[in-house]
Amino acid sequence: MTVPGSVDLEQEIKSWLTERLSAHLSRPQSEINTEVPLVEYGLDSVAALSLFGDIEEKFVLYLEPAVAWEHPTVTAMAAFLAQEQAASSSGSAG
């Protein structure tokens, strides 16, 4: 079952992740393909930690480092974060 608004949330997160990745990698957003694994962009451990810090701050989620390997692209990470946000929101509603 799809959560209402989850596709919009996923797209919003994907755009936000692309912008943050662009900043951390010092490359234009237009050069970031959301289907390419982040490691192929040369995302080093320092930039990855900074990106995860941004994610934790923005979404109030603590992420294990393995998440980057389990969801290696912007698209996969956005889908995961949208799911986590939906679960977090529905869990706090009760």
Side-chain angles (χ1 to χ4, degrees), residues 51-67:
L51 180 62
F52 268 45
D54 292 347
I55 290 169
E56 289 174 6
E57 186 176 307
K58 171 87 173 163
F59 301 102
V60 193
L61 294 171
Y62 173 75
L63 302 176
E64 294 291 333
V67 169

Side-chain angles (χ1 to χ4, degrees), residues 9-11 13-15 17-18 21 32-38 41 70-83:
L9 177 61
E10 193 172 318
Q11 188 57 47
I13 292 170
K14 189 190 279 190
S15 296
L17 277 171
T18 303
L21 193 58
I32 306 224
N33 180 332
T34 60
E35 301 299 326
V36 171
L38 302 179
Y41 285 112
E70 295 165 359
H71 310 282
T73 65
V74 169
T75 297
M77 184 69 73
F80 171 75
L81 291 172
Q83 246 181 347

Side-chain angles (χ1 to χ4, degrees), residues 42-51:
L43 188 71
D44 64 16
S45 58
V46 173
L49 283 173
S50 295
L51 180 62

